[in-house]
Amino acid sequence: AGFAAIRWPVAGVLHGGRVEYEHLVPFARVGAKYLHGVYTPDVDEHGEVQGGVATISDITERIRAEAALRESEARFGQMADAAPVLIWMSGPDKLCTYFNQPWLAFTGRTLEQELGNGWVAGLHPDDLQGCLKIYVESFDSRQEFRMEYRLRRQDGEYRWILAHGIPRFAAG
């Protein structure tokens, strides 16, 4: 491998460009490592390239952690979609960020329609204010809640829902 492996970023730098890449590199002693490389031209006061500066970082652990997170999220999604209950999640801004497939099938709406405050469109008008009051107060006080409200089904009929909200906190 040697110089051939870095010829293209060096050539880019010598032509005045900044080159950044991530690459899996096999090493004889330690095995394959993911490297993040940044090659930046070193230019003089006239703008002429005099050489370059390279920084190479081992990002193997970050790549592995990202892969593990994606796998964990996929497992959660599969489990949530197989559960015979309606599941939703919200972010710290109180806006909903996730609805499982049973929720979407029940309401007949798309994920995009439900996200944020879109889910409120399915609440029965008589239950709207009470539902939102409990949700906001519980959220702000970081307390678990239970409430009943009517949610519009995909065929336009309303059905009573028993909602159980549990706060989740970031680690740290």
Side-chain angles (χ1 to χ4, degrees):
F3 181 72
I6 63 167
R7 180 174 302 204
W8 67 272
V10 169
V13 166
L14 293 178
H15 285 92
R18 179 178 183 273
V19 178
E20 185 171 354
Y21 69 93
E22 292 181 3
H23 192 70
L24 181 62
V25 178
F27 290 95
R29 289 187 184 170
V30 296
K33 296 286 184 178
Y34 285 95
L35 301 180
H36 175 249
V38 179
Y39 290 76
T40 308
D42 180 23
V43 296
D44 63 18
E45 62 275 2
H46 305 292
E48 297 292 322
V49 176
Q50 300 301 306
V53 177
T55 58
I56 310 294
S57 304
D58 181 350
I59 59 168
T60 305
E61 288 308 312
R62 187 197 87 203
I63 296 293
R64 288 182 181 149
E66 289 171 353
L69 179 60
R70 282 191 303 275
E71 182 180 332
S72 176
E73 288 173 344
R75 279 195 313 267
F76 169 79
Q78 291 169 344
M79 179 191 68
D81 287 341
V85 294
L86 309 181
I87 299 175
W88 56 270
M89 290 191 305
S90 62
D93 56 3
K94 300 184 191 97
L95 299 176
C96 288
T97 59
Y98 174 82
F99 293 90
N100 70 344
Q101 287 303 315
W103 175 289
L104 300 176
F106 181 88
T107 62
R109 291 168 46 95
T110 66
L111 178 62
E112 291 74 22
Q113 290 173 309
E114 296 294 87
L115 291 175
N117 287 324
W119 66 276
V120 172
L123 291 176
H124 191 282
D126 294 343
D127 301 335
L128 178 63
Q129 290 309 312
C131 181
L132 292 179
K133 182 178 187 301
I134 291 170
Y135 176 73
V136 169
E137 287 176 0
S138 299
F139 196 101
D140 288 345
S141 64
R142 303 175 136 212
Q143 297 295 314
E144 183 174 336
F145 68 85
R146 289 182 190 272
M147 67 177 161
E148 293 183 8
Y149 61 90
R150 288 165 285 185
L151 184 63
R152 188 172 50 240
R153 200 169 57 183
Q154 48 83 23
D155 63 2
E157 294 290 321
Y158 285 94
R159 293 294 181 253
W160 282 100
I161 301 294
L162 172 61
H164 181 199
I166 302 170
R168 65 184 169 99
F169 303 99

